Amino acid sequence: MYFDTHAHYDDGAFDADREELLKSLGENGVELIIDPGCDVDSSRKALELAEKFPFLYAAVGLHPEELEKHGGDALDKVRELAGHPKCVAIGEIGLDYYWDASRREEQKALFRRQIELAMELDKPVIVHDREAHGDCLEIVRDYPGLRGVFHCYSGSAEMAKELLKLGWYLGFDGPITYKNARKALEALELCPLERILIETDSPYLSPVPMRGKRNDSSNLRYVADKIAQIKGLSPEEAAALALANGCRLFGIERA
Ligand code: NI
């Protein structure tokens, strides 16, 4: 019943036990997964996993943190990979001023080109926004009709209202279970039920009580439970809602 709309199973952190782990997730209630690529290689790996596991879908894209990897014909390759039948989105793409504040213009240009690709292919986008809220909002506003999710939402309540008005979904991850969570919880409080997605960002951002360990989709329930608590739902209702939302945004039909 869980849909983890953001988990990097192509990551090296899963090299030792990737197949066994993915096979075991169904027993833990995980029904669907999206693995977003971060560069050409990882996008390709995500698609390979999608070919192997019917419940796993891929997104392809160039992450702003890996700017130096995206030269040459990287964008053409992303376009080519996006044609795969199990590619459901362009991502993860966006702006990251935490890791690299020095190449903002390059990041913005790459973000825009990938948004334009998504619109051309009529696919949603998965947006990474780290300490770049103003610029991310300014850019996505330039593309009416663009659909997608702000992954691991970390902006203000005001920005959330703006995004929701524009039709965006907000993704919530392990950090909402942390003691110092405040901004993301404010956004969650005002987010309508039909715009909530639940993500793990595995192998990163493990929720309490798994914090500090490698994350995987079986921990999605801790995030779902927190969402249920904030929104006054049962954990099952929260999970079912997010699953339906993910299927709607990414155009996935349940088996
Ligand atoms: Ni991610």
Side-chain angles (χ1 to χ4, degrees):
M1 62 177 177
Y2 294 114
F3 185 175
D4 186 353
T5 50
H6 198 113
H8 300 282
Y9 285 108
D10 60 274
D11 192 282
F14 295 108
D15 280 353
D17 60 347
R18 181 177 291 109
E19 305 248 329
E20 299 92 294
L21 175 65
L22 282 168
K23 279 180 198 153
S24 74
L25 290 174
E27 292 157 28
N28 289 306
V30 179
E31 186 175 320
L32 291 166
I33 294 169
I34 292 177
D35 183 335
C38 295
D39 54 37
V40 171
D41 258 9
S42 83
S43 297
R44 194 173 280 135
K45 279 188 202 149
L47 284 171
E48 281 165 15
L49 288 174
E51 285 173 357
K52 212 177 263 177
F53 296 94
F55 57 88
L56 191 147
Y57 291 79
V60 301
L62 307 174
H63 191 290
E65 200 184 303
E66 316 265 345
L67 216 50
E68 64 290 343
K69 287 193 193 169
H70 308 328
D73 59 353
L75 208 58
D76 292 330
K77 291 211 171 103
V78 166
R79 169 188 294 274
E80 207 178 291
L81 295 173
H84 192 288
K86 288 200 80 179
C87 170
V88 293
I90 301 299
E92 79 182 79
I93 63 175
L95 303 175
D96 193 319
Y97 296 167
Y98 175 80
W99 282 106
D100 189 354
S102 65
R103 297 164 77 183
R104 295 187 179 195
E105 292 314 311
E106 276 170 86
Q107 289 194 35
K108 286 193 221 175
L110 184 66
F111 187 25
R112 283 185 183 277
R113 290 181 69 188
Q114 294 185 94
I115 286 174
E116 285 154 19
L117 175 65
M119 293 199 71
E120 184 193 318
L121 302 175
D122 194 24
K123 286 191 192 297
V125 292
I126 298 171
V127 174
H128 171 99
D129 162 20
R130 192 154 183 208
E131 297 185 10
H133 309 313
D135 284 351
C136 275
L137 183 59
E138 190 183 309
I139 288 176
V140 301
R141 264 207 200 110
D142 279 348
Y143 299 92
L146 177 65
R147 313 169 284 131
V149 55
F150 266 64
H151 143 66
C152 194
Y153 185 75
S154 61
S156 66
E158 282 313 303
M159 175 167 162
K161 282 182 203 161
E162 276 296 302
L163 288 170
L164 290 163
K165 231 186 281 170
L166 293 167
W168 286 82
Y169 290 68
L170 303 181
F172 297 96
D173 304 52
I176 65 167
T177 67
Y178 301 170
K179 250 204 184 106
N180 60 358
R182 193 181 55 82
K183 270 167 88 182
L185 289 180
E186 283 173 15
L188 176 59
E189 271 166 27
L190 63 86
C191 187
L193 297 180
E194 67 275 11
R195 299 288 187 76
I196 295 172
L197 296 183
I198 310 180
E199 318 172 325
T200 59
D201 205 15
S202 297
Y204 313 106
L205 303 182
S206 293
V208 173
M210 309 307 261
R211 213 174 165 179
K213 299 189 182 137
R214 184 184 73 174
N215 201 5
D216 69 63
S217 303
S218 66
N219 294 329
L220 200 70
R221 61 198 170 99
Y222 299 111
V223 187
D225 289 356
K226 182 72 184 187
I227 289 173
Q229 184 196 322
I230 299 285
K231 299 304 254 185
L233 304 167
S234 71
E236 294 76 20
E237 284 170 328
L241 215 109
L243 188 142
N245 293 343
C247 288
R248 187 185 324 115
L249 175 62
F250 295 107
I252 293 171
E253 279 182 43
R254 292 173 73 188

